[in-house]
Amino acid sequence: MKRLLLSSAALLGLAGTALAADLPEPALTEVTPEVYGPTVFNWTGPYVGATIGYGFGTADTRTGGRSRDIDLNGVLGGIYAGYNFQVHPNFLIGAEADFVFTGQSGDGRVAGSRITQDNTWMSTIRARVGGTFDRFLVYGTGGVAFADLKTKVRGSGSETKNKVGWTLGAGIETAFTDNIVGRLEYQYVDFGSDSSNFGGTRVKSSFNDNIVRAGVAYKF
């Protein structure tokens, strides 16, 4: 009886081993690591910066039936601030204001009168529209402009006028880091014409400016 039990147990053990050998091995689940692509730069947000450049201005000055273009060239520098809103991965709109002091000055003789003109400061308030390519931006800009133009007629006095005009321009920007953005920009500014009377000497002048400048801003 004992031998019979041992034989039965052995047979059951062999059968279990054979059955286990026939069972398929459990499939190993392969874990694929997640892959993250590079983060695209987001231009949305406020910024403030400093700018420096050069102005190539021209004042078409008329008096005594004669006219002459007086060049008002000089260095300019100041600050700018604005806000960008990225409405699409490749499209941006925004608004910006700036204020610069200028060293633009020039003089010339018109109909026997020595005339000196100076532009001491300038400011603009503009809209911006641009195309973005990750950390690179190309934009156009336009709006209203303000300036302080001083006209002096030697021996007859001087007058300073706050002038209002318009501006159009374009530029490029590059985000060096998530917070530091550099730019190059060109603006054309037109202040129209007006006239002044200096002790019987009537001077009419129209002023326009071409500005090239660079800037660095902090984006918040």
Side-chain angles (χ1 to χ4, degrees), residues 21 29 76 96 189-190 202:
T29 303
L76 53 87
E96 182 175 295
V189 191
D190 193 321
R202 186 175 180 83

Side-chain angles (χ1 to χ4, degrees), residues 109-120:
R109 186 174 292 277
V110 186
S113 298
R114 190 72 179 181
I115 300 176
T116 301
Q117 293 185 309
D118 300 283
N119 180 31
T120 55

Side-chain angles (χ1 to χ4, degrees), residues 14 22 39 65 71 88 104 106 138 148 154 176 184 210 214 219:
L14 290 172
D22 291 337
T39 303
D71 294 330
H88 183 273
Q104 292 181 269
V138 180
D148 186 65
R154 184 174 296 180
F176 299 117
L184 290 173
N210 293 275
K219 175 184 175 297

